[in-house]
Amino acid sequence: MDTLIVGGGLAGVLCALATSRVAPDHVVMVVEQGKRLGGNHRWSWFDSDLDIHGHALLHGAEKSRWDGHELRFPAFGRAMQTGYNSMSSVAFHDWAAGLLQPDRLLLDTTVTQLDEGGVTLADGRRIEAERVIDARGPHAIAGAGAAQGVQVGWQKFAGFEIAVSSHGLVRPIIMDARVNQADGYRFIYTLPLTADRLFIEDTFYSSSPVIDATARREAVWRYAAQFGTPTTEYSREVGVLPIVQSGNPDLFWPAGGGIARAGMAGGFFHHTTGYSLPLAVRNALAFADEVAAGQAPDANWWRDRFLQHWRDQRYFRMLNTMLFRAAVPDERYRVFEHFYRLPEPLVQRFYAGQMTWADQLRVMTGRPPVPVTRAIRALLSEKDHA
Ligand SMILES: Cc1cc2nc3c(=O)[nH]c(=O)nc-3n(C[C@H](O)[C@H](O)[C@H](O)COP(=O)(O)OP(=O)(O)OC[C@H]3O[C@@H](n4cnc5c(N)ncnc54)[C@H](O)[C@@H]3O)c2cc1C
Protein backbone atom coordinates (compact mmCIF):
# COMPACT_ATOMS: atom_id res chain seq x y z
CA MET A 1 0.00 0.00 0.00
CA ASP A 2 1.46 3.34 -1.02
CA THR A 3 -0.98 5.79 0.58
CA LEU A 4 -3.72 5.12 3.10
CA ILE A 5 -6.27 7.89 3.56
CA VAL A 6 -8.32 7.87 6.74
CA GLY A 7 -11.68 9.53 6.08
CA GLY A 8 -13.74 9.21 2.93
CA GLY A 9 -15.03 12.76 3.00
CA LEU A 10 -14.41 15.54 0.52
CA ALA A 11 -10.65 15.97 0.94
CA GLY A 12 -9.67 12.33 1.32
CA VAL A 13 -11.70 11.14 -1.64
CA LEU A 14 -10.56 13.94 -3.96
CA CYS A 15 -6.97 13.16 -3.06
CA ALA A 16 -7.48 9.48 -3.89
CA LEU A 17 -9.28 10.26 -7.16
CA ALA A 18 -6.74 12.81 -8.35
CA THR A 19 -3.87 10.46 -7.58
CA SER A 20 -5.37 7.40 -9.21
CA ARG A 21 -5.99 9.44 -12.37
CA VAL A 22 -2.40 10.52 -12.90
CA ALA A 23 -0.57 7.68 -11.14
CA PRO A 24 -2.72 4.54 -11.51
CA ASP A 25 0.08 2.30 -10.23
CA HIS A 26 0.25 4.19 -6.94
CA VAL A 27 -1.96 2.19 -4.59
CA VAL A 28 -4.23 4.52 -2.59
CA MET A 29 -6.79 3.16 -0.17
CA VAL A 30 -9.59 5.13 1.51
CA VAL A 31 -11.00 3.98 4.85
CA GLU A 32 -14.34 5.52 5.81
CA GLN A 33 -16.35 4.87 8.94
CA GLY A 34 -19.69 5.66 7.28
CA LYS A 35 -21.60 3.42 4.91
CA ARG A 36 -21.24 6.04 2.19
CA LEU A 37 -18.60 8.56 1.17
CA GLY A 38 -19.04 12.22 1.96
CA GLY A 39 -21.38 12.06 4.94
CA ASN A 40 -24.49 14.21 4.83
CA HIS A 41 -23.41 17.40 3.11
CA ARG A 42 -24.12 19.72 0.28
CA TRP A 43 -21.03 21.45 -1.12
CA SER A 44 -21.29 24.62 -3.14
CA TRP A 45 -18.67 26.69 -4.91
CA PHE A 46 -18.28 29.49 -7.43
CA ASP A 47 -16.96 28.90 -10.95
CA SER A 48 -14.13 31.28 -10.05
CA ASP A 49 -13.03 29.17 -7.05
CA LEU A 50 -11.38 26.60 -9.32
CA ASP A 51 -9.09 26.67 -12.33
CA ILE A 52 -9.62 24.38 -15.33
CA HIS A 53 -7.78 21.52 -13.64
CA GLY A 54 -10.00 21.84 -10.59
CA HIS A 55 -13.16 21.82 -12.69
CA ALA A 56 -11.78 18.81 -14.57
CA LEU A 57 -11.25 16.89 -11.33
CA LEU A 58 -14.95 17.30 -10.46
CA HIS A 59 -16.07 16.56 -14.00
CA GLY A 60 -18.56 13.73 -14.16
CA ALA A 61 -20.05 14.29 -10.72
CA GLU A 62 -23.74 15.19 -10.85
CA LYS A 63 -24.20 18.77 -9.72
CA SER A 64 -26.46 21.76 -10.11
CA ARG A 65 -25.06 24.81 -11.86
CA TRP A 66 -26.48 28.31 -12.27
CA ASP A 67 -25.17 31.13 -14.46
CA GLY A 68 -25.22 33.66 -11.65
CA HIS A 69 -26.50 34.33 -8.15
CA GLU A 70 -28.10 37.09 -6.09
CA LEU A 71 -27.49 38.99 -2.87
CA ARG A 72 -30.16 40.75 -0.84
CA PHE A 73 -29.44 43.23 1.96
CA PRO A 74 -31.68 45.74 3.74
CA ALA A 75 -30.12 48.64 1.79
CA PHE A 76 -29.61 47.02 -1.61
CA GLY A 77 -29.82 43.89 -3.74
CA ARG A 78 -27.41 42.73 -6.39
CA ALA A 79 -27.39 40.20 -9.23
CA MET A 80 -23.94 38.69 -9.72
CA GLN A 81 -22.74 37.08 -12.93
CA THR A 82 -20.42 34.51 -11.39
CA GLY A 83 -21.62 30.95 -11.96
CA TYR A 84 -22.49 28.88 -8.91
CA ASN A 85 -22.35 25.11 -8.38
CA SER A 86 -23.70 22.72 -5.80
CA MET A 87 -23.29 18.99 -5.27
CA SER A 88 -24.99 16.74 -2.74
CA SER A 89 -23.08 14.09 -0.85
CA VAL A 90 -25.40 11.49 -2.41
CA ALA A 91 -24.14 12.51 -5.86
CA PHE A 92 -20.58 12.70 -4.54
CA HIS A 93 -20.72 9.12 -3.25
CA ASP A 94 -22.31 7.73 -6.41
CA TRP A 95 -19.66 9.41 -8.55
CA ALA A 96 -16.58 8.72 -6.44
CA ALA A 97 -17.43 5.18 -5.37
CA GLY A 98 -17.83 4.32 -9.05
CA LEU A 99 -14.33 5.60 -9.82
CA LEU A 100 -12.38 4.12 -6.93
CA GLN A 101 -11.40 0.48 -7.29
CA PRO A 102 -13.57 -1.60 -4.93
CA ASP A 103 -10.54 -3.21 -3.29
CA ARG A 104 -9.17 0.25 -2.50
CA LEU A 105 -12.21 1.47 -0.61
CA LEU A 106 -13.19 0.29 2.85
CA LEU A 107 -16.60 1.63 3.89
CA ASP A 108 -18.25 1.10 7.26
CA THR A 109 -14.78 0.73 8.78
CA THR A 110 -13.57 2.83 11.68
CA VAL A 111 -9.91 3.59 12.27
CA THR A 112 -9.09 3.68 15.96
CA GLN A 113 -5.39 4.44 15.76
CA LEU A 114 -3.13 6.11 13.21
CA ASP A 115 0.62 6.16 13.03
CA GLU A 116 3.16 6.93 10.34
CA GLY A 117 3.33 3.32 9.17
CA GLY A 118 -0.34 2.38 9.11
CA VAL A 119 -3.63 2.23 10.98
CA THR A 120 -5.48 -0.01 13.38
CA LEU A 121 -9.15 -0.68 12.71
CA ALA A 122 -11.92 -1.00 15.28
CA ASP A 123 -11.96 -4.78 14.76
CA GLY A 124 -8.26 -4.94 15.64
CA ARG A 125 -6.94 -5.43 12.11
CA ARG A 126 -3.80 -3.55 11.12
CA ILE A 127 -3.17 -2.07 7.66
CA GLU A 128 0.38 -1.05 6.84
CA ALA A 129 1.12 1.76 4.39
CA GLU A 130 4.06 3.78 3.11
CA ARG A 131 2.22 6.91 4.20
CA VAL A 132 -0.96 7.73 6.08
CA ILE A 133 -3.09 10.83 5.57
CA ASP A 134 -5.48 11.91 8.30
CA ALA A 135 -8.55 13.28 6.50
CA ARG A 136 -11.00 12.71 9.33
CA GLY A 137 -12.63 16.09 8.94
CA PRO A 138 -13.17 18.92 11.37
CA HIS A 139 -12.53 16.83 14.50
CA ALA A 140 -9.13 18.52 14.93
CA ILE A 141 -10.73 21.94 15.17
CA ALA A 142 -14.11 21.09 16.66
CA GLY A 143 -14.35 22.92 19.94
CA ALA A 144 -11.04 24.53 19.09
CA GLY A 145 -9.52 26.75 21.70
CA ALA A 146 -6.15 27.92 22.84
CA ALA A 147 -5.05 24.30 23.34
CA GLN A 148 -5.14 23.77 19.61
CA GLY A 149 -3.80 27.18 18.87
CA VAL A 150 -6.75 28.96 17.33
CA GLN A 151 -9.40 31.39 18.53
CA VAL A 152 -12.60 31.04 16.56
CA GLY A 153 -16.13 32.29 16.08
CA TRP A 154 -18.65 30.13 14.27
CA GLN A 155 -20.61 29.94 11.08
CA LYS A 156 -23.52 27.67 11.91
CA PHE A 157 -26.39 26.68 9.72
CA ALA A 158 -29.32 24.35 9.24
CA GLY A 159 -30.43 23.68 5.68
CA PHE A 160 -33.54 21.94 4.40
CA GLU A 161 -34.33 20.55 0.98
CA ILE A 162 -38.06 21.05 0.59
CA ALA A 163 -40.80 20.89 -2.00
CA VAL A 164 -42.18 24.31 -2.94
CA SER A 165 -44.30 24.13 -6.06
CA SER A 166 -43.80 26.77 -8.77
CA HIS A 167 -41.40 28.85 -6.68
CA GLY A 168 -40.23 30.80 -9.76
CA LEU A 169 -36.63 31.29 -8.55
CA VAL A 170 -34.07 30.79 -11.29
CA ARG A 171 -30.82 31.70 -9.51
CA PRO A 172 -29.51 31.06 -6.02
CA ILE A 173 -29.84 33.79 -3.42
CA ILE A 174 -26.65 33.12 -1.56
CA MET A 175 -27.31 35.79 1.07
CA ASP A 176 -30.63 37.28 2.06
CA ALA A 177 -29.80 39.37 5.10
CA ARG A 178 -33.21 41.04 5.27
CA VAL A 179 -34.14 38.71 8.10
CA ASN A 180 -34.20 39.27 11.83
CA GLN A 181 -30.55 39.76 12.90
CA ALA A 182 -30.54 37.54 15.97
CA ASP A 183 -27.49 35.65 17.30
CA GLY A 184 -24.88 37.47 15.21
CA TYR A 185 -24.91 38.04 11.46
CA ARG A 186 -27.81 36.07 10.05
CA PHE A 187 -28.78 35.38 6.47
CA ILE A 188 -30.81 32.87 4.52
CA TYR A 189 -29.33 30.98 1.58
CA THR A 190 -31.59 29.54 -1.10
CA LEU A 191 -30.79 27.22 -3.99
CA PRO A 192 -33.48 26.51 -6.60
CA LEU A 193 -32.55 22.85 -7.14
CA THR A 194 -35.44 22.11 -9.49
CA ALA A 195 -38.65 23.84 -10.56
CA ASP A 196 -40.39 22.57 -7.44
CA ARG A 197 -37.58 21.98 -5.00
CA LEU A 198 -35.61 24.49 -2.92
CA PHE A 199 -32.68 24.07 -0.59
CA ILE A 200 -32.99 26.76 2.09
CA GLU A 201 -30.43 27.28 4.82
CA ASP A 202 -30.61 29.56 7.85
CA THR A 203 -27.07 30.74 8.63
CA PHE A 204 -25.44 32.66 11.49
CA TYR A 205 -22.00 34.14 12.09
CA SER A 206 -22.18 33.67 15.81
CA SER A 207 -20.00 33.58 18.89
CA SER A 208 -21.72 30.35 19.94
CA PRO A 209 -21.63 27.00 18.09
CA VAL A 210 -25.05 25.97 19.45
CA ILE A 211 -27.82 25.69 16.87
CA ASP A 212 -31.45 24.69 17.37
CA ALA A 213 -32.38 22.73 14.23
CA THR A 214 -36.08 22.62 15.14
CA ALA A 215 -36.31 26.39 15.45
CA ARG A 216 -34.34 26.81 12.20
CA ARG A 217 -36.71 24.46 10.40
CA GLU A 218 -39.66 26.60 11.47
CA ALA A 219 -37.85 29.75 10.33
CA VAL A 220 -37.01 28.18 6.97
CA TRP A 221 -40.58 27.10 6.37
CA ARG A 222 -41.82 30.61 7.20
CA TYR A 223 -39.24 32.08 4.82
CA ALA A 224 -40.12 29.58 2.07
CA ALA A 225 -43.75 30.69 2.13
CA GLN A 226 -42.85 33.81 0.10
CA PHE A 227 -42.05 31.49 -2.84
CA GLY A 228 -45.03 29.14 -2.51
CA THR A 229 -46.43 26.60 -0.09
CA PRO A 230 -43.70 24.35 1.34
CA THR A 231 -44.75 20.73 1.69
CA THR A 232 -42.37 17.78 1.93
CA GLU A 233 -38.92 17.91 3.57
CA TYR A 234 -36.54 15.66 1.60
CA SER A 235 -33.33 16.13 3.54
CA ARG A 236 -31.54 18.39 5.95
CA GLU A 237 -27.98 19.29 6.93
CA VAL A 238 -26.71 20.98 10.05
CA GLY A 239 -23.21 22.42 10.15
CA VAL A 240 -20.97 24.40 12.46
CA LEU A 241 -17.79 25.70 10.85
CA PRO A 242 -14.92 27.50 12.59
CA ILE A 243 -14.28 31.13 11.62
CA VAL A 244 -10.70 31.76 12.68
CA GLN A 245 -9.82 35.07 14.31
CA SER A 246 -6.27 34.44 15.39
CA GLY A 247 -3.94 31.74 16.50
CA ASN A 248 -0.62 30.02 16.48
CA PRO A 249 -0.18 27.54 13.62
CA ASP A 250 2.67 25.78 15.42
CA LEU A 251 0.27 24.81 18.20
CA PHE A 252 -2.44 23.72 15.79
CA TRP A 253 0.04 21.59 13.84
CA PRO A 254 3.35 21.17 15.66
CA ALA A 255 6.55 20.69 13.67
CA GLY A 256 8.35 17.38 13.60
CA GLY A 257 6.93 14.92 11.13
CA GLY A 258 3.98 12.96 12.45
CA ILE A 259 1.00 12.14 10.33
CA ALA A 260 -0.02 14.05 7.22
CA ARG A 261 -3.32 15.91 7.49
CA ALA A 262 -5.65 16.87 4.67
CA GLY A 263 -8.93 18.79 4.49
CA MET A 264 -10.45 20.35 7.59
CA ALA A 265 -8.26 18.14 9.78
CA GLY A 266 -5.25 19.95 8.37
CA GLY A 267 -6.76 23.41 8.72
CA PHE A 268 -7.33 23.71 4.96
CA PHE A 269 -10.37 25.93 4.91
CA HIS A 270 -11.19 29.55 4.16
CA HIS A 271 -10.94 31.42 7.45
CA THR A 272 -13.91 33.69 6.77
CA THR A 273 -16.34 31.36 4.99
CA GLY A 274 -15.30 28.09 6.62
CA TYR A 275 -15.48 26.47 3.18
CA SER A 276 -12.88 23.94 2.10
CA LEU A 277 -13.79 22.62 -1.34
CA PRO A 278 -11.44 24.86 -3.37
CA LEU A 279 -8.50 23.97 -1.13
CA ALA A 280 -9.38 20.28 -1.10
CA VAL A 281 -9.32 20.32 -4.90
CA ARG A 282 -6.03 22.25 -5.12
CA ASN A 283 -4.32 20.05 -2.54
CA ALA A 284 -5.54 16.86 -4.20
CA LEU A 285 -4.15 17.99 -7.55
CA ALA A 286 -0.85 19.11 -6.03
CA PHE A 287 -0.44 15.82 -4.14
CA ALA A 288 -1.24 13.81 -7.26
CA ASP A 289 1.27 15.81 -9.32
CA GLU A 290 3.98 15.10 -6.75
CA VAL A 291 3.22 11.39 -6.80
CA ALA A 292 3.15 11.33 -10.61
CA ALA A 293 6.56 13.04 -10.62
CA GLY A 294 7.94 10.24 -8.48
CA GLN A 295 8.01 12.24 -5.25
CA ALA A 296 6.71 10.97 -1.94
CA PRO A 297 4.88 13.85 -0.25
CA ASP A 298 5.12 13.29 3.49
CA ALA A 299 3.70 15.00 6.56
CA ASN A 300 6.17 17.86 6.16
CA TRP A 301 4.92 18.50 2.63
CA TRP A 302 1.37 18.81 3.95
CA ARG A 303 2.44 20.93 6.91
CA ASP A 304 4.34 23.32 4.65
CA ARG A 305 1.19 23.77 2.60
CA PHE A 306 -0.78 24.37 5.78
CA LEU A 307 1.71 27.02 6.96
CA GLN A 308 1.56 28.76 3.58
CA HIS A 309 -2.22 28.65 3.73
CA TRP A 310 -2.17 30.08 7.26
CA ARG A 311 -0.02 32.98 6.07
CA ASP A 312 -2.27 33.54 3.05
CA GLN A 313 -5.30 33.74 5.33
CA ARG A 314 -3.95 36.43 7.64
CA TYR A 315 -6.08 39.15 6.11
CA PHE A 316 -9.22 37.02 6.48
CA ARG A 317 -8.48 36.49 10.17
CA MET A 318 -8.22 40.23 10.58
CA LEU A 319 -11.60 40.68 8.88
CA ASN A 320 -13.06 38.05 11.20
CA THR A 321 -11.69 39.85 14.23
CA MET A 322 -13.40 43.03 13.10
CA LEU A 323 -16.58 41.11 12.42
CA PHE A 324 -16.73 39.31 15.74
CA ARG A 325 -14.98 41.73 18.06
CA ALA A 326 -15.63 45.21 16.67
CA ALA A 327 -19.09 44.94 15.16
CA VAL A 328 -22.12 44.77 17.46
CA PRO A 329 -23.68 41.32 16.74
CA ASP A 330 -26.94 42.67 15.34
CA GLU A 331 -25.01 45.14 13.17
CA ARG A 332 -22.57 42.58 11.71
CA TYR A 333 -24.57 42.47 8.51
CA ARG A 334 -23.27 45.97 7.71
CA VAL A 335 -19.77 44.52 7.22
CA PHE A 336 -21.11 42.22 4.51
CA GLU A 337 -23.39 44.86 3.05
CA HIS A 338 -20.36 47.11 2.67
CA PHE A 339 -18.27 44.31 1.17
CA TYR A 340 -20.78 43.17 -1.44
CA ARG A 341 -20.91 46.61 -3.05
CA LEU A 342 -17.35 46.04 -4.27
CA PRO A 343 -16.49 44.97 -7.86
CA GLU A 344 -17.40 41.39 -8.69
CA PRO A 345 -13.86 40.21 -9.60
CA LEU A 346 -12.72 41.29 -6.12
CA VAL A 347 -15.58 39.33 -4.55
CA GLN A 348 -14.55 36.31 -6.64
CA ARG A 349 -10.97 36.56 -5.38
CA PHE A 350 -12.25 36.90 -1.81
CA TYR A 351 -14.08 33.56 -2.02
CA ALA A 352 -11.19 31.87 -3.79
CA GLY A 353 -8.88 33.12 -1.00
CA GLN A 354 -6.74 34.87 -3.60
CA MET A 355 -7.08 38.56 -2.82
CA THR A 356 -4.40 40.93 -4.04
CA TRP A 357 -2.89 43.71 -1.94
CA ALA A 358 -4.97 46.19 -3.93
CA ASP A 359 -8.11 44.19 -3.11
CA GLN A 360 -7.24 44.21 0.57
CA LEU A 361 -6.79 47.97 0.57
CA ARG A 362 -9.98 48.45 -1.40
CA VAL A 363 -12.06 46.55 1.18
CA MET A 364 -10.79 48.91 3.86
CA THR A 365 -11.56 52.12 2.01
CA GLY A 366 -14.81 54.06 2.08
CA ARG A 367 -17.11 54.52 5.03
CA PRO A 368 -16.08 51.88 7.58
CA PRO A 369 -18.89 49.48 8.54
CA VAL A 370 -17.61 49.29 12.14
CA PRO A 371 -16.43 52.14 14.40
CA VAL A 372 -12.70 52.71 13.81
CA THR A 373 -11.74 52.88 17.49
CA ARG A 374 -13.47 49.59 18.25
CA ALA A 375 -11.83 47.99 15.21
CA ILE A 376 -8.36 49.08 16.31
CA ARG A 377 -8.96 47.92 19.88
CA ALA A 378 -10.14 44.52 18.64
CA LEU A 379 -7.16 44.08 16.34
CA LEU A 380 -4.67 45.06 19.04
CA SER A 381 -6.17 42.57 21.48
CA GLU A 382 -5.64 39.58 19.16
CA LYS A 383 -2.42 37.58 19.24
CA ASP A 384 -2.19 36.31 15.71
CA HIS A 385 0.90 34.58 14.35
CA ALA A 386 1.38 34.95 10.62
C1 LIG B 1 -23.19 20.80 6.58
C2 LIG B 1 -21.94 21.36 5.94
C3 LIG B 1 -22.02 22.03 4.72
C4 LIG B 1 -20.86 22.53 4.12
N1 LIG B 1 -20.95 23.18 2.94
C5 LIG B 1 -19.83 23.56 2.30
C6 LIG B 1 -19.89 24.14 1.01
O1 LIG B 1 -20.98 24.37 0.48
N2 LIG B 1 -18.72 24.45 0.36
C7 LIG B 1 -17.52 24.22 0.94
O2 LIG B 1 -16.48 24.48 0.32
N3 LIG B 1 -17.44 23.74 2.19
C8 LIG B 1 -18.56 23.39 2.88
N4 LIG B 1 -18.47 22.86 4.13
C9 LIG B 1 -17.17 22.86 4.80
C10 LIG B 1 -16.25 21.72 4.35
O3 LIG B 1 -15.97 21.83 2.98
C11 LIG B 1 -16.85 20.37 4.58
O4 LIG B 1 -16.93 20.18 5.97
C12 LIG B 1 -16.00 19.25 3.96
O5 LIG B 1 -16.78 18.10 3.90
C13 LIG B 1 -14.72 19.01 4.71
O6 LIG B 1 -14.03 17.99 4.06
P1 LIG B 1 -13.10 16.98 4.85
O7 LIG B 1 -12.75 15.90 3.91
O8 LIG B 1 -12.04 17.71 5.55
O9 LIG B 1 -14.06 16.38 6.01
P2 LIG B 1 -15.34 15.50 5.84
O10 LIG B 1 -15.96 15.71 4.52
O11 LIG B 1 -16.15 15.73 7.07
O12 LIG B 1 -14.79 14.01 5.84
C14 LIG B 1 -14.22 13.40 6.96
C15 LIG B 1 -14.58 11.93 6.87
O13 LIG B 1 -13.81 11.20 7.80
C16 LIG B 1 -14.61 10.17 8.31
N5 LIG B 1 -14.03 9.73 9.57
C17 LIG B 1 -13.91 10.45 10.72
N6 LIG B 1 -13.31 9.72 11.67
C18 LIG B 1 -13.04 8.51 11.11
C19 LIG B 1 -12.43 7.33 11.59
N7 LIG B 1 -11.96 7.25 12.85
N8 LIG B 1 -12.32 6.27 10.77
C20 LIG B 1 -12.77 6.34 9.48
N9 LIG B 1 -13.36 7.44 8.97
C21 LIG B 1 -13.49 8.51 9.77
C22 LIG B 1 -15.98 10.83 8.46
O14 LIG B 1 -17.01 9.87 8.55
C23 LIG B 1 -16.04 11.67 7.21
O15 LIG B 1 -16.68 11.00 6.14
C24 LIG B 1 -19.61 22.37 4.76
C25 LIG B 1 -19.55 21.71 5.99
C26 LIG B 1 -20.71 21.23 6.57
C27 LIG B 1 -20.60 20.54 7.91
Side-chain angles (χ1 to χ4, degrees), residues 7 9-11 32-33 42-44 111 135 137 157 264 275-277:
L10 185 69
E32 165 57 40
Q33 66 184 1
R42 170 167 287 285
W43 296 283
S44 301
V111 168
F157 43 84
M264 299 290 279
Y275 276 17
S276 77
L277 184 138

Side-chain angles (χ1 to χ4, degrees), residues 15-26:
C15 210
L17 288 178
T19 307
S20 54
R21 274 185 196 180
V22 296
D25 295 336
H26 185 93

Side-chain angles (χ1 to χ4, degrees), residues 149-227:
V150 286
Q151 287 75 47
V152 299
W154 305 98
Q155 188 198 158
K156 57 187 181 185
F157 43 84
F160 302 85
E161 189 175 325
I162 54 180
V164 181
S165 59
S166 317
H167 54 72
L169 268 185
V170 291
R171 308 198 317 168
I173 306 168
I174 65 156
M175 268 186 195
D176 185 349
R178 301 169 308 167
V179 288
N180 177 27
Q181 292 298 303
D183 196 5
Y185 171 50
R186 175 175 176 230
F187 63 90
I188 292 192
Y189 166 96
T190 304
L191 301 177
L193 295 177
T194 65
D196 58 3
R197 203 178 278 212
L198 295 175
F199 177 79
I200 306 183
E201 196 153 73
D202 201 355
T203 304
F204 300 79
Y205 273 74
S206 169
S207 306
S208 152
V210 178
I211 182 156
D212 177 348
T214 309
R216 292 310 104 218
R217 183 181 187 278
E218 284 166 16
V220 160
W221 282 57
R222 273 197 305 277
Y223 180 84
Q226 69 183 293
F227 303 115

Side-chain angles (χ1 to χ4, degrees), residues 44-385:
S44 301
W45 65 98
F46 295 98
D47 282 355
S48 47
D49 286 343
L50 304 177
D51 64 13
I52 49 166
H53 306 292
H55 286 290
L57 178 60
L58 296 174
H59 180 74
E62 187 193 320
K63 41 196 172 301
S64 305
R65 186 185 173 281
W66 301 269
D67 282 337
H69 61 277
E70 290 178 29
L71 300 158
R72 295 182 183 176
F73 288 95
F76 82 110
R78 187 169 176 192
M80 309 287 266
Q81 306 308 315
T82 311
Y84 198 63
N85 307 271
S86 189
M87 169 173 61
S88 72
S89 49
V90 173
F92 178 75
H93 169 90
D94 292 346
W95 168 68
L99 291 173
L100 293 170
Q101 289 185 24
D103 60 344
R104 295 186 186 180
L105 174 59
L106 280 184
L107 290 173
D108 207 4
T109 306
T110 301
V111 168
T112 50
Q113 207 189 318
L114 297 80
D115 58 63
E116 287 158 64
V119 301
T120 306
L121 307 181
D123 62 9
R125 270 183 297 158
R126 167 100 185 148
I127 305 178
E128 306 278 343
E130 285 294 314
R131 70 187 61 73
V132 173
I133 300 176
D134 180 358
R136 286 177 295 170
H139 71 94
I141 33 177
Q148 283 167 318
V150 286
Q151 287 75 47
V152 299
W154 305 98
Q155 188 198 158
K156 57 187 181 185
F157 43 84
F160 302 85
E161 189 175 325
I162 54 180
V164 181
S165 59
S166 317
H167 54 72
L169 268 185
V170 291
R171 308 198 317 168
I173 306 168
I174 65 156
M175 268 186 195
D176 185 349
R178 301 169 308 167
V179 288
N180 177 27
Q181 292 298 303
D183 196 5
Y185 171 50
R186 175 175 176 230
F187 63 90
I188 292 192
Y189 166 96
T190 304
L191 301 177
L193 295 177
T194 65
D196 58 3
R197 203 178 278 212
L198 295 175
F199 177 79
I200 306 183
E201 196 153 73
D202 201 355
T203 304
F204 300 79
Y205 273 74
S206 169
S207 306
S208 152
V210 178
I211 182 156
D212 177 348
T214 309
R216 292 310 104 218
R217 183 181 187 278
E218 284 166 16
V220 160
W221 282 57
R222 273 197 305 277
Y223 180 84
Q226 69 183 293
F227 303 115
T229 307
T231 51
T232 318
E233 175 185 326
Y234 296 109
S235 65
R236 66 172 68 184
E237 69 170 30
V238 178
V240 181
L241 302 176
I243 303 300
V244 182
Q245 293 167 32
S246 63
N248 182 343
D250 291 320
L251 284 179
F252 177 76
W253 190 336
I259 296 169
R261 288 153 63 170
M264 299 290 279
F268 294 106
F269 59 93
H270 190 299
H271 286 184
T272 299
T273 67
Y275 276 17
S276 77
L277 184 138
L279 284 155
V281 168
R282 282 176 221 151
N283 284 345
L285 292 171
F287 177 82
D289 282 349
E290 290 286 314
V291 170
Q295 304 299 318
D298 60 5
N300 290 322
W301 182 88
W302 285 97
R303 184 170 183 273
D304 286 347
R305 287 186 77 83
F306 159 71
L307 291 175
Q308 184 59 51
H309 172 62
W310 182 272
R311 285 190 289 274
D312 292 345
Q313 292 282 311
R314 182 176 198 173
Y315 181 75
F316 297 98
R317 293 193 296 280
M318 188 195 70
L319 290 182
N320 297 343
T321 298
M322 302 225 303
L323 182 67
F324 280 94
R325 306 279 295 273
V328 177
D330 291 358
E331 297 282 312
R332 279 179 194 158
Y333 77 91
R334 289 188 192 283
V335 176
F336 289 85
E337 198 173 58
H338 173 79
F339 172 75
Y340 283 110
R341 289 181 188 274
L342 294 168
E344 191 159 348
L346 185 156
V347 176
Q348 291 176 345
R349 291 191 289 273
F350 167 85
Y351 278 111
Q354 294 169 334
M355 290 176 90
T356 63
W357 281 104
D359 292 338
Q360 297 181 11
L361 277 175
R362 181 79 195 268
V363 172
M364 293 299 168
T365 56
R367 221 173 102 231
V370 295
V372 174
T373 44
R374 268 218 308 270
I376 291 171
R377 218 179 301 135
L379 291 173
L380 289 177
S381 70
E382 286 293 349
K383 289 193 176 54
D384 191 34
H385 301 242

